[in-house]
Amino acid sequence: MVKLIAPGTVLTTAVILGLLNAALLLWLALSQPWLGVSLHGDPDTGRAVALSVDPAGPSRALPAGAEILQIAPQRGAPVALRAADLIEEPDMLGSGGAMSGFFARQSALHSALSGGEVEITYATGTGSDPMNLVVTPVPVRPLSDLPIAFWTQLLVALAGLWFGAWVLALRLHDPAAWMLSLAGLGLALAAQAAALYSSRELALSLPVFGTASRINGIGTMTFGIGMVTLFLIYPRRLVRGALTALPALMISAAIIWMEFIQWPRFVPMLQGLVALAMLVLLAALAVQVWVNRRDPRARAMLGWFGLSIALGAGGFVLTVIVPVLIGQPPILAQSTAFLLFLVIYAGLGLGVMRYRLFDLTDWSFRLLFYGLGMGMMLGQDAVLVMVLSLDHAAALAASLALVAIVYLPVRRRMSGWLRRENPPSAEAMFTEITEIAQAEDRDTRIARLCTLLRRRFDPLSVAVLQEARPAAVLEREGEGMVFPAVDDLPAIRLQWAMQGRRLFSSRDLNASRRLAGVIGGAIDQHRTYRDAVNAERGRINRDMHDNIGVLLLSALHSSGVERKNLLIRQTLSDLREIISNPAHESWDLARLLADLRAEIADHLDAAGLALDWQAEAPPGVSLSPRRAHTLRAFLREGVSNLLRHAGAGTAMIRITASGTGAEAALSLLLADDGSGFDPDHIRPGNGFVNLRERVAQCQGSFSVQTDAQGTRLSATLPLSAADRKAQP
């Protein structure tokens, strides 16, 4: 069995991992010896200059603008300071030898700063005599001393990780989502590592710096693997099989060679490899544009997401990588250029919002906002505990309050702005569906259905289809959607959702299927209701004909006042029973037969006919209201026809119970000695038709036999378990 992972679990895991990595990064950045000096390396002169000095730091006596010549530990050789020691990205030094020397000097400087007092030799101007200043570095760097570049790169890292996890959480089985998530992970690794060493005060230890440098290179190329492979398979697969994995295999081999086997000898080649990966990415984008030129959804996606990647990743390469490759300084500092990657994720958000990029729908934003809120709360809690030294419970309470007061209202407004949809309420939908089901004719139902679909999806056009379309489908990658045929209603094609502001998505498809199911169920229920009403009307009509009609006819022809009154009272009693039939309890068979014998004998005696009655009623047998009415109607309608048409002198009635258990049944026979009738020339009236229907509804059988010796009506009524159960 495949274990399903909830989207919230994936995103929550990514948020927690991102915050843990950020906490580790912050701890490493703060666990470095601190001089309290902001240093700048001038690549033209090769000098290292103190741009500013913290007035509360260990080097507060150092004048701002002084050139730092060397730093000497208490024991060991002094280390001369060069502008290259302050370079933001060591990959840009240009050669493996320069990088090896750089890391050796970083290790020596870090050891000097970590060993206690150091002597700083500096000069205040050209030609001035060097001066010395003894300082004791603080073992922990203050949080306030971390530059803005550190925080911007950390922001980019979290954005890459969390946005990639956001898409992956909702599309766990989509290779394109995995590639986007892989690119986000690579960006997170590269940006976090760069945040650590590019914003250092002076030096890091070789284990920390070397590891961060490797992670930065691995992350950069992982981003390339993810993005190149993404556009090889999305929105249309350009390659298949082993060719899909070729970029990943080639780049992975280069990573292993440069970052592990030959580090740092060939690390400067990373700049060229990044530029090459960018060219391959742009080529894949161009091919996707060409092969999808007739696909409006893909064109829209490439317009938003492809352009954002070209601007974000391409802008980084053009402002940082290309100048270094041609021997020029970067146009933008690497820490600043990392902000260009946020353009990618802005394009991702816009693509999801407007064109359902990666087939994500509105609820994906709710999941994203949930993750951001959780990250905000955890981050605030950590800051309050570490920086303000609040109690854990107080910090958590304050974080929850800030999220509730600030974030939740903002999230609600952002969600409304992003969705920009106003579907009808559940109450309105229910009312409209009910009106569709209750419409008297098909054309009215179709018109009401079209109105409902306009209100729900707000399409540019609605067209009724002639061909049968039993299933809801998306057409032309979301340009149109077919609402399926329901019952006798035709399929309907909708074009361009939300008045053309977006394409139809799988969310709309699922909504159509659910809506069609509800409408079909409502129509079935209304039809069942109408059938039940018609059946009840038919029952009342049959009872009026078979019972009330017989009694009133007998009263009409009765000459005695007492008998006439008796028949009218019985008619009223039967009329009340007909109206309230569903609420009646079962009839005891013996009592019912006794009443019917007295009633029929009275009718026949008044007409001068003899009655031959034989009936058996097994003890404890009762009849349901339906069977009791059927038995009564059989005898009354049969006797009424006999009196009016048979010309007979005797009526014979036989009622017997036969069989046991599930085979138990009541056999009915009404025969006369009249002249009969010719069934080929005389059509049976409504009485026989009603009797046949009544008996059939009781799962019984009914037959009529006639000849010159008389007419025989016979019926069989099965007895259910409830009929056979003795009454208390």
Side-chain angles (χ1 to χ4, degrees):
M1 178 182 291
V2 178
K3 187 175 181 180
L4 300 178
I5 303 176
T9 302
V10 177
L11 187 58
T12 299
T13 302
V15 168
I16 294 174
L17 288 177
L19 292 176
L20 289 176
N21 284 336
L24 174 62
L25 180 68
L26 190 61
W27 176 77
L28 288 172
L30 299 179
S31 300
Q32 305 302 323
W34 182 58
L35 291 172
V37 180
S38 177
L39 298 169
H40 170 68
D42 187 343
D44 296 328
T45 63
R47 300 187 307 164
V49 180
L51 291 181
S52 62
V53 179
D54 193 313
S59 305
R60 51 186 173 275
L62 183 71
E67 177 187 356
I68 310 300
L69 301 177
Q70 66 177 25
I71 295 178
Q74 288 179 321
R75 298 180 181 85
V79 182
L81 206 60
R82 304 172 183 172
D85 294 326
L86 302 174
I87 192 171
E88 186 178 39
E89 176 53 72
D91 296 353
M92 300 176 183
L93 288 172
S95 69
M99 282 197 67
S100 297
F102 169 84
F103 282 116
R105 295 170 59 75
Q106 282 285 303
S107 180
L109 286 169
H110 185 270
S111 297
L113 296 174
S114 302
E117 287 186 349
V118 295
E119 184 179 70
I120 300 177
T121 302
Y122 65 94
T124 55
T126 304
S128 61
D129 294 331
M131 289 177 282
N132 297 318
L133 175 66
V134 177
V135 300
T136 303
V138 176
V140 177
R141 186 178 186 179
L143 181 66
S144 58
D145 188 63
L146 291 177
I148 189 65
F150 176 87
W151 300 108
T152 56
Q153 291 176 99
L154 179 59
L155 171 65
V156 171
L158 292 177
L161 180 64
W162 289 348
F163 269 79
W166 171 49
V167 175
L168 181 62
L170 301 168
R171 304 288 294 176
L172 268 175
H173 302 290
D174 188 347
W178 278 96
M179 290 302 103
L180 181 69
S181 183
L182 181 64
L185 175 62
L187 178 60
L189 293 174
Q192 282 190 336
L196 177 62
Y197 63 72
S198 68
S199 57
R200 68 193 185 279
E201 183 189 45
L202 176 57
L204 296 174
S205 66
L206 182 58
V208 172
F209 207 154
T211 301
S213 176
R214 286 184 172 94
I215 292 175
N216 174 262
I218 293 170
T220 300
M221 299 317 299
T222 300
F223 176 84
I225 291 174
M227 281 300 174
V228 170
T229 309
L230 170 63
F231 283 100
L232 288 178
I233 63 175
Y234 184 82
R236 183 175 298 183
R237 184 174 286 274
L238 302 179
V239 295
R240 297 185 180 277
L243 289 178
T244 306
L246 185 60
L249 293 175
M250 294 178 63
I251 296 176
S252 298
I255 289 175
I256 294 173
W257 177 256
M258 290 189 302
E259 302 295 345
F260 294 99
I261 299 176
Q262 292 292 330
W263 187 88
R265 180 181 176 186
F266 293 108
V267 170
M269 294 176 58
L270 182 65
Q271 309 293 331
L273 192 57
V274 170
L276 179 60
M278 186 62 201
L279 290 176
V280 174
L281 173 59
L282 292 177
L285 267 171
V287 174
Q288 287 284 4
V289 170
W290 172 255
V291 299
N292 291 285
R293 62 190 181 278
R294 294 185 178 88
D295 186 338
R297 180 177 181 271
R299 289 202 311 270
M301 186 281 296
L302 292 169
W304 283 97
F305 192 43
L307 181 61
S308 65
I309 290 176
L311 291 177
F316 182 87
V317 171
L318 289 175
T319 57
V320 176
I321 304 298
V322 172
V324 173
L325 290 176
I326 61 177
Q328 299 296 320
I331 298 173
L332 293 176
Q334 177 176 273
S335 55
T336 303
F338 262 116
L339 292 173
L340 293 171
F341 285 99
L342 295 180
V343 175
I344 295 176
Y345 297 102
L348 173 64
L350 289 172
V352 170
M353 177 187 70
R354 188 172 179 85
Y355 294 108
R356 297 301 182 262
L357 184 64
F358 290 101
D359 206 24
L360 302 184
T361 50
D362 293 331
W363 61 278
S364 64
F365 283 100
R366 292 197 291 272
L367 181 67
L368 177 63
F369 291 145
Y370 156 77
L372 292 177
M374 182 179 62
M376 172 184 269
M377 187 191 73
L378 294 176
Q380 287 175 170
D381 182 63
V383 170
L384 292 173
V385 170
M386 292 190 299
V387 178
L388 300 181
S389 300
L390 289 183
D391 179 74
H392 289 280
L396 180 60
S399 298
L400 288 172
L402 286 173
V403 169
I405 295 172
V406 178
Y407 175 71
L408 293 181
V410 172
R411 185 195 69 172
R412 185 165 52 251
R413 288 183 176 274
M414 287 183 63
S415 178
W417 176 78
L418 287 171
R419 293 175 66 188
R420 292 186 296 179
E421 295 183 15
N422 187 28
S425 64
E427 293 81 2
M429 293 276 288
F430 175 79
T431 300
E432 294 190 46
I433 291 172
T434 303
E435 291 176 350
I436 292 171
Q438 295 180 352
E440 293 298 327
D441 59 90
R442 182 171 180 267
D443 291 341
T444 303
R445 286 199 298 274
I446 293 174
R448 290 178 178 176
L449 176 59
C450 291
T451 300
L452 174 61
L453 295 178
R454 287 191 182 94
R455 284 172 51 79
R456 176 60 183 83
F457 300 106
D458 195 19
L460 279 177
S461 67
V462 175
V464 177
L465 302 180
Q466 300 301 320
E467 67 270 20
R469 300 289 291 272
V473 294
L474 294 179
E475 294 183 332
R476 295 180 299 281
E477 300 295 335
E479 279 188 22
M481 180 178 69
V482 173
F483 187 84
V486 180
D487 200 78
D488 65 337
L489 298 176
I492 297 175
R493 175 177 288 120
L494 311 178
Q495 292 286 96
W496 294 103
M498 299 305 296
Q499 291 296 304
R501 293 197 298 271
R502 67 171 177 84
L503 301 171
F504 287 102
S505 66
S506 58
R507 172 179 175 268
D508 300 312
L509 193 64
N510 292 331
S512 294
R513 290 166 178 163
R514 291 193 299 270
L515 186 58
V518 173
I519 292 174
I523 293 176
D524 286 343
Q525 289 178 354
H526 185 66
R527 182 180 292 113
T528 301
Y529 165 78
R530 286 185 309 187
D531 292 344
V533 169
N534 292 333
E536 187 66 8
R537 287 174 178 168
R539 181 190 69 82
I540 294 174
N541 178 67
R542 289 190 298 271
D543 287 342
M544 295 290 288
H545 179 277
D546 298 343
N547 294 321
I548 304 301
V550 172
L551 292 173
L552 289 177
L553 185 63
S554 299
L556 180 64
H557 293 287
S558 177
S559 58
V561 175
E562 291 186 4
R563 173 173 169 73
K564 189 184 295 288
N565 292 339
L566 177 64
L567 290 172
I568 291 175
R569 283 194 296 271
Q570 187 174 352
T571 300
L572 293 174
S573 176
D574 280 9
L575 184 60
R576 285 193 295 270
E577 184 182 337
I578 290 170
I579 299 303
S580 61
N581 176 67
H584 245 303
E585 294 181 353
S586 298
W587 287 80
D588 179 71
L589 178 59
R591 181 177 178 181
L592 178 62
L593 290 177
D595 291 343
L596 287 171
R597 177 175 184 177
E599 175 188 329
I600 291 171
D602 197 18
H603 293 339
L604 294 174
D605 182 64
L609 274 72
L611 173 63
D612 180 5
W613 175 283
Q614 292 184 17
E616 61 180 63
V621 174
S622 60
L623 296 184
S624 64
R626 181 187 293 274
R627 284 175 170 77
H629 280 303
T630 302
L631 172 60
R632 188 184 292 113
F634 177 86
L635 294 177
R636 285 177 175 173
E637 177 64 20
V639 169
S640 176
N641 284 333
L642 185 151
L643 290 173
R644 286 182 292 169
H645 307 299
T650 302
M652 182 181 67
I653 296 177
R654 300 288 185 265
I655 301 175
T656 59
S658 61
T660 59
E663 302 297 327
L666 202 63
S667 297
L668 311 177
L669 174 65
L670 172 59
D672 62 63
D673 56 357
S675 58
F677 63 91
D678 185 356
D680 295 331
H681 295 84
I682 299 177
R683 179 182 176 185
N686 289 334
F688 284 174
V689 174
N690 288 343
L691 281 179
R692 193 179 301 278
E693 289 182 0
R694 282 181 178 277
V695 174
Q697 289 176 355
C698 295
Q699 288 78 48
S701 59
F702 175 80
S703 65
V704 178
Q705 294 176 341
T706 183
D707 53 31
Q709 284 73 44
T711 301
R712 296 166 57 90
L713 305 183
S714 59
T716 301
L717 296 179
L719 297 177
S720 65
D723 296 326
R724 299 190 300 274
K725 183 179 178 181
Q727 296 207 34

mmCIF file of all heavy atoms in Angstrom, residues 49-64:
data_model
loop_
_atom_site.group_PDB
_atom_site.id
_atom_site.type_symbol
_atom_site.label_atom_id
_atom_site.label_comp_id
_atom_site.label_asym_id
_atom_site.label_seq_id
_atom_site.Cartn_x
_atom_site.Cartn_y
_atom_site.Cartn_z
ATOM 1 N N VAL A 49 41.408 48.151 4.463
ATOM 2 C CA VAL A 49 41.127 49.409 5.147
ATOM 3 C C VAL A 49 40.001 49.213 6.152
ATOM 4 O O VAL A 49 39.011 48.510 5.873
ATOM 5 C CB VAL A 49 40.752 50.503 4.128
ATOM 6 C CG1 VAL A 49 40.446 51.818 4.828
ATOM 7 C CG2 VAL A 49 41.892 50.690 3.132
ATOM 8 N N ALA A 50 40.107 49.850 7.307
ATOM 9 C CA ALA A 50 39.063 49.831 8.332
ATOM 10 C C ALA A 50 38.060 50.927 8.000
ATOM 11 O O ALA A 50 38.322 52.110 8.247
ATOM 12 C CB ALA A 50 39.665 50.035 9.715
ATOM 13 N N LEU A 51 36.940 50.568 7.417
ATOM 14 C CA LEU A 51 35.943 51.570 7.035
ATOM 15 C C LEU A 51 35.295 52.209 8.261
ATOM 16 O O LEU A 51 35.062 53.417 8.293
ATOM 17 C CB LEU A 51 34.855 50.926 6.177
ATOM 18 C CG LEU A 51 35.270 50.461 4.772
ATOM 19 C CD1 LEU A 51 34.074 49.860 4.047
ATOM 20 C CD2 LEU A 51 35.845 51.629 3.967
ATOM 21 N N SER A 52 34.999 51.394 9.263
ATOM 22 C CA SER A 52 34.386 51.916 10.490
ATOM 23 C C SER A 52 34.792 51.034 11.649
ATOM 24 O O SER A 52 35.166 49.864 11.461
ATOM 25 C CB SER A 52 32.861 51.968 10.363
ATOM 26 O OG SER A 52 32.332 50.665 10.163
ATOM 27 N N VAL A 53 34.697 51.613 12.833
ATOM 28 C CA VAL A 53 35.085 50.896 14.049
ATOM 29 C C VAL A 53 33.948 51.015 15.051
ATOM 30 O O VAL A 53 33.429 52.113 15.280
ATOM 31 C CB VAL A 53 36.391 51.470 14.643
ATOM 32 C CG1 VAL A 53 36.766 50.725 15.927
ATOM 33 C CG2 VAL A 53 37.522 51.382 13.632
ATOM 34 N N ASP A 54 33.565 49.894 15.636
ATOM 35 C CA ASP A 54 32.499 49.901 16.639
ATOM 36 C C ASP A 54 33.018 50.573 17.908
ATOM 37 O O ASP A 54 34.035 50.134 18.473
ATOM 38 C CB ASP A 54 32.075 48.460 16.933
ATOM 39 C CG ASP A 54 30.782 48.384 17.718
ATOM 40 O OD1 ASP A 54 30.653 49.106 18.709
ATOM 41 O OD2 ASP A 54 29.891 47.602 17.327
ATOM 42 N N PRO A 55 32.338 51.617 18.371
ATOM 43 C CA PRO A 55 32.836 52.325 19.557
ATOM 44 C C PRO A 55 32.805 51.477 20.819
ATOM 45 O O PRO A 55 33.488 51.822 21.803
ATOM 46 C CB PRO A 55 31.876 53.524 19.674
ATOM 47 C CG PRO A 55 30.660 53.119 18.905
ATOM 48 C CD PRO A 55 31.145 52.229 17.805
ATOM 49 N N ALA A 56 32.042 50.383 20.807
ATOM 50 C CA ALA A 56 32.001 49.513 21.975
ATOM 51 C C ALA A 56 32.803 48.236 21.764
ATOM 52 O O ALA A 56 32.821 47.371 22.641
ATOM 53 C CB ALA A 56 30.548 49.161 22.315
ATOM 54 N N GLY A 57 33.490 48.121 20.639
ATOM 55 C CA GLY A 57 34.215 46.907 20.334
ATOM 56 C C GLY A 57 35.629 46.911 20.878
ATOM 57 O O GLY A 57 36.148 47.934 21.364
ATOM 58 N N PRO A 58 36.298 45.772 20.764
ATOM 59 C CA PRO A 58 37.671 45.649 21.275
ATOM 60 C C PRO A 58 38.653 46.590 20.574
ATOM 61 O O PRO A 58 39.660 46.999 21.173
ATOM 62 C CB PRO A 58 38.030 44.191 20.998
ATOM 63 C CG PRO A 58 36.733 43.491 20.762
ATOM 64 C CD PRO A 58 35.806 44.503 20.206
ATOM 65 N N SER A 59 38.400 46.952 19.302
ATOM 66 C CA SER A 59 39.342 47.783 18.532
ATOM 67 C C SER A 59 38.878 49.234 18.464
ATOM 68 O O SER A 59 39.161 49.937 17.495
ATOM 69 C CB SER A 59 39.480 47.213 17.113
ATOM 70 O OG SER A 59 39.864 45.861 17.128
ATOM 71 N N ARG A 60 38.160 49.710 19.489
ATOM 72 C CA ARG A 60 37.602 51.062 19.439
ATOM 73 C C ARG A 60 38.672 52.144 19.353
ATOM 74 O O ARG A 60 38.398 53.260 18.919
ATOM 75 C CB ARG A 60 36.715 51.316 20.654
ATOM 76 C CG ARG A 60 37.361 50.993 21.979
ATOM 77 C CD ARG A 60 36.356 51.127 23.119
ATOM 78 N NE ARG A 60 36.885 50.662 24.386
ATOM 79 C CZ ARG A 60 36.874 49.396 24.785
ATOM 80 N NH1 ARG A 60 36.346 48.473 24.011
ATOM 81 N NH2 ARG A 60 37.392 49.043 25.949
ATOM 82 N N ALA A 61 39.918 51.812 19.737
ATOM 83 C CA ALA A 61 40.996 52.805 19.642
ATOM 84 C C ALA A 61 41.581 52.906 18.243
ATOM 85 O O ALA A 61 42.383 53.810 17.957
ATOM 86 C CB ALA A 61 42.108 52.456 20.635
ATOM 87 N N LEU A 62 41.162 52.001 17.354
ATOM 88 C CA LEU A 62 41.682 52.020 15.985
ATOM 89 C C LEU A 62 40.981 53.125 15.203
ATOM 90 O O LEU A 62 39.752 53.192 15.188
ATOM 91 C CB LEU A 62 41.435 50.669 15.319
ATOM 92 C CG LEU A 62 41.988 50.484 13.902
ATOM 93 C CD1 LEU A 62 43.502 50.396 13.932
ATOM 94 C CD2 LEU A 62 41.404 49.207 13.274
ATOM 95 N N PRO A 63 41.707 54.020 14.560
ATOM 96 C CA PRO A 63 41.053 55.107 13.810
ATOM 97 C C PRO A 63 40.399 54.580 12.531
ATOM 98 O O PRO A 63 40.940 53.718 11.850
ATOM 99 C CB PRO A 63 42.203 56.052 13.492
ATOM 100 C CG PRO A 63 43.428 55.207 13.512
ATOM 101 C CD PRO A 63 43.187 54.151 14.544
ATOM 102 N N ALA A 64 39.198 55.104 12.237
ATOM 103 C CA ALA A 64 38.515 54.733 11.001
ATOM 104 C C ALA A 64 39.316 55.217 9.806
ATOM 105 O O ALA A 64 39.914 56.300 9.828
ATOM 106 C CB ALA A 64 37.116 55.339 10.978
#
